Amino acid sequence: MRPRLLVLSGPLKDSTIPLSEEEITIGREASNGIAITDPSVSRKHCLLSWQRGKFRVRDLDSRNGTLVNGAGVEEQWLKHGDEIAAGDSSFLFLEEEDVAPDPSRVEFDDAQGTVETTIIHPRDVVYLQPDRLLRELPATSKVARNLNALLKISRIVHAIRDLDELQGQLLELIFEVVPAGRGAILLADKEGHQFNSTFVRMRQAGQTQLVKVSRTVARQVLEQGIAILGSDVASNYDLREVESLAASQVRSLLCVPLTVFQRVIGCIYLDSNSLETRLREEHLQLVTAIAGITAVALENARRLQWLEQENERLTVEISQERSLVGEGARMKEVYQFLKRASPTDSTVLIEGESGTGKELAARALHRNSPRANKPFLAINCAAIPETLLESDLFGHERGAFTGAGSLKKGRLEVADGGVVFLDEVGELAPALQVKLLRVLQEREFERVGGIQTIKVDIRLIAATNCNLEQAVRDGRFRQDLYYRLAVLKVTMPALRDRREDIAMLVRHFVQKHAKHCKVKPRPISREALSRMENYDWPGNVRELENAIEHALVLGSSDMILPEDLPESLLERTPLPEMTEAKYHAAVKELKKQLILDAVEQTQGSYTEAARLLGVHPNYLHRLIRNLELKEALKDALQELSQRGLSGISGGNA
């Protein structure tokens, strides 16, 4: 086991920190084992310790808390792949064994010239010509031995998926039939210009020598797709002057191409320092044949390795993007709830306004639960028509209705063993409420048009932005279903109720969207941040995220300035300590005067005033709220009334 922390974000990003059985602290002070120059990190933030063969993280009463997989923790055991967050820094905890790096390595030599060589084309290799091979078979026992070796290699290498294991096995098998002392497999990049992967093996176990590969020979093989044999290195003037080759006493070498679909993906290199057993043309023929039958296996193993690494990277990236952000008191309450609710299978109801992060909370529950490796299916009950939602949830049998040409499994069935997240559950039709109640009570249902009862093992998490208790009182939502959904209940706070988190959210979204929009991350000015903190955010975190993306794409300076923000943020009156730009102040005053004049002209009718201004009434109401015009309009309308000019009706102001 080689436990370590991979730094995903923060001042130490992209570094790897090894862990030992000694305690190590993370914090802002230089005395910490992991010191982070980040004001959002406490002086002594958290402690990593080794106990009973496992690592444990403990929060040291930090100001902003310690998160594990997006949920706040006081103390928690760590497992491979857990993400730890302290302030703006996040770490990936890794403890599984990596393939031990081979102490041997390859160094290319740029010396010009080649040894006395024999060059053959793969089509001339005897082992790749069955008819010719059969004619020669009775004449030599070496052919039979080599055929047996080729068969053994073919059977073994195509059963191995791991790239390092495959390369190691391949070189070991080559050493059984070729008298080479050292071998290397060199794989090229996509363009075929450079070797970006090298693997080395020695015939004698335990050797850690440097393998000196002539770059001239390797590049000739890579570019021309030919196999090269240097049978006597010492007789070549250019190569005998190379100190490393002389020190290694290399007597002969060969290099053959690895070709897949007419493209050379790399080469196999072998050399020997023995005077008695030099590498000869028969060895060149055999190794070229070996390369021909193993190249595809090597390429497939390399692609699989890349896919696994890319999958791990994307998983971490998605996890970061889908993590809750915030360190205020309201969010700490949410983290505590998630910490306690995650290990259970209890049904959870998440309440909150649109854009507060209800789905992020649901994913955090799933990610930290025993079902983390099972499916997570999100369904928006308001986005799918009622006629389609039933089939989407429960599935249907063939012929159940017009267009049902084949059996279809519903999402509840597909999610068996995992989590189903029902967003906007308050929009469910009464008939579907009855069927969902049965699922919650019995964990069973029938497909549309079916009679077979299907049992499922799922955890259900629901979310709503409406008041379900009021919906129950109004008869729009079943009371028994509400109580089944609200076994555990949490409310996601609106952004206006946790303004202390806005600065952290801004930094998070700047980093996220700078990468997505391919722009340089920019700091936010004090004035722009003040505007954000003084805004009510009716769209909550989602609106804030859109505002940051807007500013990054359209802004032209080195900082995010107030004028880079959406217009709705600039309509609010700034805090007293902030000096407003003359331009913005003048635009705001003009808007106020236009609205006052229009309302007075229409004698208090907001609908007529909106028509006169050429805007939607809802937009006019938003302007009045943001510009804080309610009192000014009230005074103006009272003055009109006193002069006997008001024609205000009940539907007006």
Side-chain angles (χ1 to χ4, degrees):
M1 186 174 70
R2 190 166 62 88
R4 59 210 181 278
L5 292 178
L6 176 63
V7 186
L8 303 175
S9 62
L12 304 178
K13 183 179 179 182
D14 295 333
S15 59
T16 301
I17 302 167
L19 300 176
S20 64
E21 296 183 8
E22 297 181 359
E23 293 185 343
I24 186 169
T25 56
I26 299 175
R28 199 170 68 246
E29 286 184 348
S31 60
N32 288 284
I34 303 175
I36 306 173
T37 55
D38 181 353
S40 64
V41 175
S42 298
R43 290 186 177 88
K44 295 284 186 182
H45 200 99
C46 60
L47 170 72
L48 291 174
S49 59
W50 172 266
Q51 301 176 28
R52 302 198 298 273
K54 294 191 296 184
F55 274 91
R56 192 176 183 89
V57 62
R58 177 163 60 89
D59 185 67
L60 300 177
D61 297 323
S62 63
R63 177 168 56 88
N64 298 326
T66 301
L67 308 183
V68 176
N69 297 327
V73 300
E74 294 176 1
E75 196 168 6
Q76 181 168 315
W77 294 107
L78 295 174
K79 59 182 183 297
H80 180 77
D82 279 348
E83 182 184 340
I84 307 166
D88 290 340
S89 295
S90 59
F91 310 83
L92 188 66
F93 175 71
L94 302 172
E95 61 177 349
E96 292 182 359
E97 287 284 359
D98 287 341
V99 177
D102 197 298
S104 305
R105 61 191 179 91
V106 167
E107 180 177 315
F108 288 102
D109 172 54
D110 291 314
Q112 298 298 313
T114 60
V115 296
E116 180 181 351
T117 61
T118 301
I119 297 176
I120 65 171
H121 196 279
R123 63 173 174 266
D124 299 323
V125 176
V126 65
Y127 293 102
L128 297 180
Q129 301 178 58
D131 294 338
R132 179 180 172 188
L133 188 60
L134 289 173
R135 290 196 302 271
E136 297 191 14
L137 187 58
T140 174
S141 60
K142 287 184 179 180
V143 174
R145 185 200 65 178
N146 292 343
L147 275 176
N148 185 57
L150 287 173
L151 178 60
K152 184 178 179 181
I153 289 173
S154 179
R155 290 165 59 185
I156 290 178
V157 299
H158 289 287
I160 300 175
R161 298 173 61 188
D162 181 76
L163 180 60
D164 286 345
E165 182 184 355
L166 174 59
Q167 293 178 113
Q169 285 275 5
L170 177 56
L171 288 174
E172 291 294 338
L173 291 170
I174 289 175
F175 288 149
E176 291 181 8
V177 290
V178 177
R182 302 177 300 183
I185 296 177
L186 316 173
L187 298 179
D189 56 22
K190 286 184 178 180
E191 291 73 26
H193 300 320
Q194 301 293 333
F195 294 105
N196 62 357
S197 172
T198 60
F199 189 91
V200 170
R201 270 288 185 271
M202 310 295 175
R203 175 180 288 275
Q204 296 182 5
Q207 287 184 318
T208 58
Q209 289 178 262
L210 172 71
V211 176
K212 198 79 172 183
V213 177
S214 169
R215 191 182 298 274
T216 302
V217 172
R219 286 208 60 81
Q220 187 177 356
V221 171
L222 185 64
E223 293 173 358
Q224 299 180 22
I226 56 175
I228 293 178
L229 169 68
S231 57
D232 189 358
V233 172
S235 67
N236 181 275
Y237 177 80
D238 291 327
L239 291 184
R240 74 185 181 200
E241 295 298 317
V242 178
E243 289 185 12
S244 57
L245 288 179
S248 301
Q249 296 181 332
V250 174
R251 304 296 181 181
S252 57
L253 61 84
L254 64 81
C255 190
V256 302
L258 292 162
T259 306
V260 177
F261 302 126
Q262 310 300 317
R263 182 173 66 89
V264 180
I265 65 166
C267 58
I268 299 176
Y269 169 86
L270 300 170
D271 69 27
S272 172
N273 57 9
S274 171
L275 288 171
E276 293 76 20
T277 53
R278 295 178 184 272
L279 298 179
R280 305 184 185 282
E281 184 176 349
E282 63 184 273
H283 304 128
L284 182 67
Q285 292 265 357
L286 179 59
V287 177
T288 304
I290 292 173
I293 64 175
T294 59
V296 172
L298 287 166
E299 178 71 353
N300 288 342
R302 181 165 66 161
R303 285 179 178 272
L304 180 61
Q305 182 185 69
W306 179 86
L307 287 172
E308 289 174 345
Q309 293 172 347
E310 185 70 3
N311 181 60
E312 184 174 344
R313 183 189 68 79
L314 291 174
T315 299
V316 171
E317 185 175 316
I318 290 171
S319 175
Q320 284 182 296
E321 290 186 0
R322 293 182 175 177
S323 295
L324 293 166
V325 177
E327 56 190 25
R330 296 293 301 275
M331 287 306 296
K332 285 184 177 180
E333 292 175 4
V334 172
Y335 297 147
Q336 286 299 317
F337 173 87
L338 297 177
K339 177 184 175 182
R340 296 186 178 185
S342 291
T344 73
D345 273 343
S346 300
T347 303
V348 178
L349 177 62
I350 305 173
E351 298 180 320
E353 299 176 8
S354 293
T356 51
K358 297 187 291 294
E359 183 173 344
L360 295 182
R363 290 186 181 276
L365 283 168
H366 173 245
R367 193 164 59 245
N368 293 282
S369 75
R371 299 174 182 265
N373 294 324
K374 299 295 183 179
F376 177 95
L377 269 70
I379 306 165
N380 191 318
C381 301
I384 305 174
E386 178 185 346
T387 53
L388 299 178
L389 183 58
E390 183 178 12
S391 173
D392 195 52
L393 280 172
F394 304 103
H396 62 252
E397 299 287 347
R398 180 179 180 182
F401 50 84
T402 303
S406 61
L407 181 147
K408 174 194 172 186
K409 291 184 178 181
R411 298 205 189 192
L412 295 177
E413 192 173 350
V414 173
D416 188 30
V419 172
V420 173
F421 173 60
L422 295 179
D423 199 6
E424 307 298 349
V425 72
E427 302 300 322
L428 275 179
L432 289 179
Q433 292 181 31
V434 175
K435 296 193 72 170
L436 181 61
L437 179 62
R438 184 187 172 198
V439 173
L440 288 171
Q441 290 175 331
E442 309 295 339
R443 291 299 194 268
E444 64 181 32
F445 60 91
E446 290 89 32
R447 299 190 189 102
V448 176
I451 58 173
Q452 179 185 359
T453 298
I454 299 168
K455 291 188 173 291
V456 289
D457 172 26
I458 60 171
R459 182 184 191 180
L460 197 137
I461 302 174
T464 180
N465 63 2
C466 66
N467 189 332
L468 283 189
E469 292 182 355
Q470 184 61 47
V472 169
R473 289 192 290 269
D474 295 342
R476 292 181 289 107
F477 201 83
R478 293 181 62 96
Q479 186 178 49
D480 48 4
L481 177 58
Y482 171 73
Y483 289 129
R484 285 285 181 181
L485 291 174
V487 176
L488 301 176
K489 188 166 69 169
V490 64
T491 300
M492 298 301 295
L495 186 54
R496 60 182 171 275
D497 296 329
R498 58 181 189 110
R499 297 179 189 272
E500 66 274 16
D501 292 332
I502 289 178
M504 177 180 283
L505 285 163
V506 167
R507 292 195 297 270
H508 172 76
F509 290 135
V510 164
Q511 293 297 325
K512 173 183 175 181
H513 288 291
K515 185 194 304 181
H516 288 179
C517 300
K518 296 180 175 56
V519 296
K520 182 180 178 182
R522 299 201 300 273
I524 187 165
S525 68
R526 189 166 60 93
E527 295 80 4
L529 182 60
S530 175
R531 290 282 187 175
M532 292 185 166
E533 292 175 338
N534 192 40
Y535 182 61
D536 283 341
W537 299 107
N540 291 296
V541 179
R542 186 179 295 119
E543 185 183 1
L544 172 62
E545 181 174 4
N546 292 341
I548 294 300
E549 185 174 1
H550 176 280
L552 283 172
V553 173
L554 298 182
S556 56
S557 62
D558 292 335
M559 297 185 72
I560 296 177
L561 303 174
E563 52 263 36
D564 299 328
L565 300 174
E567 188 177 357
S568 56
L569 273 72
L570 305 178
E571 293 166 354
R572 292 298 302 270
T573 303
L575 296 175
E577 64 269 19
M578 303 304 299
T579 302
E580 187 172 21
K582 290 183 179 181
Y583 170 78
H584 298 305
V587 170
K588 188 184 302 178
E589 288 303 318
L590 179 58
K591 288 182 179 180
K592 288 181 178 180
Q593 194 58 51
L594 287 171
I595 293 171
L596 286 170
D597 291 344
V599 172
E600 286 184 5
Q601 288 180 39
T602 57
Q603 299 182 3
S605 172
Y606 284 4
T607 302
E608 288 299 316
R611 186 186 61 78
L612 185 64
L613 291 169
V615 298
H616 193 279
N618 290 344
Y619 180 65
L620 177 61
H621 280 282
R622 196 204 78 182
L623 285 172
I624 291 171
R625 182 177 65 252
N626 288 345
L627 295 170
E628 299 175 351
L629 279 175
K630 288 186 177 180
E631 290 300 321
L633 286 170
K634 183 179 179 181
D635 293 342
L637 294 175
Q638 283 180 349
E639 184 178 346
L640 284 173
S641 179
Q642 290 171 0
R643 292 189 314 208
L645 297 176
S646 177
I648 303 173
S649 63
N652 295 337

